[in-house]
Amino acid sequence: MSINNSTSLTSPVMATYSRFPVTLVKGKGSYVWDEQGAQYLDFTSGIATCNLGHVPDVVKDALDEQLQNLWHCSNLYNIPNQEKLAALLTGNSCGDQVFFCNSGAEANEAAIKLARRYANKVKGKEAPEIVTFQQSFHGRTLATLSATGQEKIQQGFFPLVSGFSYLPFNDDEALELLYTIEPAAVLLELVQGEGGVIPANHEWVKKLAKICKEREILLMVDEIQTGIGRTGTLFAYEQYGIEPDVISIAKGLGSGFPIGAIIAKEEAAKGFDPGSHGSTFGGNPLATAAGVATVTHIHGTNILNQANEMASYLDKKLLVLKEEYSFIKDIRGLGLLKGIVVETNALEIVQKALENNLLILTAGPNVVRILPPLTVTTEEINEFIKALEKTFQSIEKGA
């Protein structure tokens, strides 16, 4: 059989992304390099994925060792790395049991399935409702985009999965509707990342948690972007004084190696039993080797303290820029998840930054999202500020 090497100018890869005109081939720490050898300062961290920077030695060594032994086996057998990682996650959270998968969308899919099955099997509810919030983002599977409170994400995928209600975020009065809807679960982000880097109000979250406890509603926190140290603690919920029933994580868990998980309290975990959910690749030896190395390194070093110091330093630098440039309206976020709210087009800023060898992101039409690795240094932040200032100057001049 011959292989057809197409000469079409159209890529054989489906056009699901509007890609920037850069081909990255190498990374280390806070930097990446393209195929021409040009160096870029990466303040995206693979969208909050490479929390220890690119190719961290501690994770690379763990993967190298595991590659010599076993890459994959079925979840029909015990996987030692999976047990180790589950123990690390439950030992450093309010949860008791872990289900492993491959991505953030799959983790939220598992959380949704767990909530429904718990409501059916344990609570006897035939048509359980799940409440999420406007401007939320929970993934791109059919169920998770249905859970997402953004119409632009849902366009073209109708009919959506039923059973979701969307309430205004950070709205006290909206929480009273929980008594009317009587959902089986509430799913929320403590910082809405894709929705504009909007932190949840602390008192609002405490009120929400109180209602959930009183009404026996599962409280599920989506920590896909905020987890694994991104906000200054291993999980963002720790800063809100609450204990979720279910926590979904992914992104930073494997330092760039695909892995996701949900951590559930013992009562909520009753929703799953053998045969109720599964994943062929979820929690395989390679993925969990990366996860064990990542979480062990974060837990056993001074990284979170350093990240908090760098977050404070970055805040001060960004506030100085806000005073200098009138189109900057606000600086918001938590830890090393920052949003710069601008009057101008955020995508234009990201594109101009690329010309200055700086990688940053958008979070909606008027928010620039900043996600340096937790290992970022003052020198790298200074380099970032210099490149960003150069970018802002060119925007002001219309260059």
Side-chain angles (χ1 to χ4, degrees):
M1 183 178 71
S2 62
I3 297 174
N4 178 19
N5 293 311
S6 174
T7 58
S8 170
L9 295 178
T10 302
S11 170
V13 177
M14 282 193 182
T16 54
Y17 299 95
S18 297
R19 299 182 192 270
F20 295 107
V22 175
T23 301
L24 302 176
V25 297
K26 180 183 175 183
K28 191 65 180 175
S30 297
Y31 297 92
V32 289
W33 289 262
D34 68 17
E35 59 187 351
Q36 280 78 43
Q39 177 178 295
Y40 299 81
L41 179 62
D42 183 5
F43 267 44
T44 74
S45 297
I47 314 184
T49 295
C50 302
N51 284 3
L52 298 181
H54 290 279
V55 196
D57 291 339
V58 65
V59 181
K60 179 181 180 297
D61 291 346
L63 286 171
D64 284 345
E65 181 180 351
Q66 188 61 47
L67 280 166
Q68 307 306 313
N69 296 311
L70 182 65
W71 295 14
H72 176 76
C73 69
S74 166
N75 275 298
L76 293 174
Y77 310 101
N78 294 319
I79 300 173
N81 283 339
Q82 198 173 111
E83 294 289 335
K84 290 178 186 177
L85 183 53
L88 280 168
L89 293 172
T90 56
N92 291 283
S93 73
C94 63
D96 300 303
Q97 292 187 304
V98 181
F99 171 81
F100 289 106
C101 52
N102 309 286
S103 68
E106 288 178 64
N108 281 333
E109 184 89 14
I112 291 165
K113 288 184 68 176
L114 179 62
R116 284 193 174 189
R117 200 163 191 275
Y118 176 81
N120 289 164
K121 179 173 171 257
V122 179
K123 293 295 185 180
K125 291 187 177 183
E126 292 184 1
E129 190 89 359
I130 296 175
V131 162
T132 67
F133 295 90
Q134 294 168 10
Q135 288 304 113
S136 61
F137 180 82
H138 298 295
R140 295 184 183 275
T141 66
L142 195 55
T144 56
L145 72 83
S146 298
T148 293
Q150 297 187 58
E151 289 185 7
K152 68 177 183 180
I153 302 296
Q154 299 170 343
Q155 287 300 315
F157 296 105
F158 303 108
L160 299 178
V161 175
S162 61
F164 295 99
S165 297
Y166 317 98
L167 299 183
F169 191 61
N170 277 337
D171 187 313
D172 282 333
E173 290 184 8
L175 295 183
E176 298 301 320
L177 293 172
L178 293 176
Y179 294 103
T180 304
I181 299 170
E182 293 191 348
V186 170
L187 174 63
L188 83 154
E189 302 159 281
L190 292 171
V191 181
Q192 291 190 329
E194 298 285 341
V197 192
I198 305 169
N201 177 277
H202 281 245
E203 292 306 314
W204 179 80
V205 170
K206 287 180 180 179
K207 182 178 180 181
L208 169 60
K210 184 173 182 288
I211 293 172
C212 286
K213 188 172 182 178
E214 288 173 353
R215 308 296 291 182
E216 296 186 341
I217 300 166
L218 292 182
L219 178 58
M220 308 196 299
V221 175
D222 177 346
E223 295 248 20
I224 305 300
Q225 190 162 171
T226 56
I228 318 301
R230 173 54 52 185
T231 64
T233 47
L234 192 62
F235 302 105
Y237 81 80
E238 298 174 66
Q239 300 176 49
Y240 282 83
I242 62 170
E243 287 196 0
D245 297 293
V246 181
I247 308 155
S248 54
I249 54 175
K251 288 189 180 291
L253 182 56
S255 291
F257 202 96
I259 183 171
I262 56 169
I263 309 168
K265 285 193 171 185
E266 185 178 6
E267 177 64 22
K270 290 178 181 177
F272 283 165
D273 51 25
S276 59
H277 194 46
S279 170
T280 296
F281 296 108
N284 73 26
L286 272 177
T288 47
V292 168
T294 299
V295 178
T296 299
H297 189 65
I298 290 174
H299 183 61
T301 63
N302 197 41
I303 283 177
L304 290 180
N305 288 336
Q306 176 190 333
N308 282 315
E309 289 175 8
M310 292 302 98
S312 178
Y313 184 73
L314 179 58
D315 274 334
K316 291 174 183 176
K317 291 289 186 178
L318 290 174
L319 288 171
V320 170
L321 285 186
K322 181 176 179 291
E323 295 301 314
E324 292 179 5
Y325 296 93
S326 60
F327 59 79
I328 299 177
K329 293 303 167 188
D330 194 14
I331 306 294
R332 64 194 185 203
L334 194 63
L336 287 173
L337 169 53
K338 301 296 185 192
I340 305 174
V341 184
V342 294
E343 281 187 332
T344 187
N345 186 334
L347 180 58
E348 183 184 0
I349 293 174
V350 171
Q351 291 169 332
K352 287 288 183 182
L354 187 63
E355 296 174 10
N356 294 318
N357 294 75
L358 172 64
L359 305 186
I360 50 179
L361 298 165
T362 62
N366 69 330
V367 180
V368 176
R369 188 169 19 158
I370 311 299
L371 294 160
L374 307 184
T375 53
V376 70
T377 65
T378 53
E379 291 78 13
E380 290 164 349
I381 290 175
N382 291 339
E383 182 183 345
F384 159 74
I385 293 295
K386 185 176 180 181
L388 192 61
E389 192 156 25
K390 186 176 179 182
T391 300
F392 287 164
Q393 288 169 356
S394 66
I395 293 290
E396 278 196 332
K397 293 175 183 177

